[in-house]
Amino acid sequence: MGKYLIRRLLQVIPVLCIISFVVFCLVFVAGDPVGPCQRIPDQEDIEQLSRITRFK
């Protein structure tokens, strides 16, 4: 039982490394999710927002 447990724990190490690498790559490729929200709105954005929120 001890050999089985040690073998399974040693198999977990590469799996965790691979999962960590894949998740890191996905986050790195996706970029900053808040970035597009941080820009200053220009006049066109304000007009578009007023058209969307205008009651009919």
Side-chain angles (χ1 to χ4, degrees):
M1 181 69 179
K3 287 183 180 181
Y4 173 76
L5 186 62
I6 292 173
R7 190 173 27 170
R8 294 298 286 175
L9 288 174
L10 289 175
Q11 289 175 348
V12 166
I13 295 171
V15 171
L16 289 177
C17 290
I18 291 170
I19 290 173
S20 298
F21 178 74
V22 168
V23 169
F24 173 78
C25 288
L26 289 174
V27 170
F28 184 74
V29 168
D32 185 15
V34 182
C37 299
Q38 292 179 336
R39 68 182 187 90
I40 299 172
D42 56 3
Q43 188 62 32
E44 181 180 334
D45 293 332
I46 295 170
E47 290 172 1
Q48 183 180 12
L49 183 61
S50 67
R51 275 185 273 136
I52 291 172
T53 58
R54 188 176 304 151
F55 292 105
K56 295 182 181 182

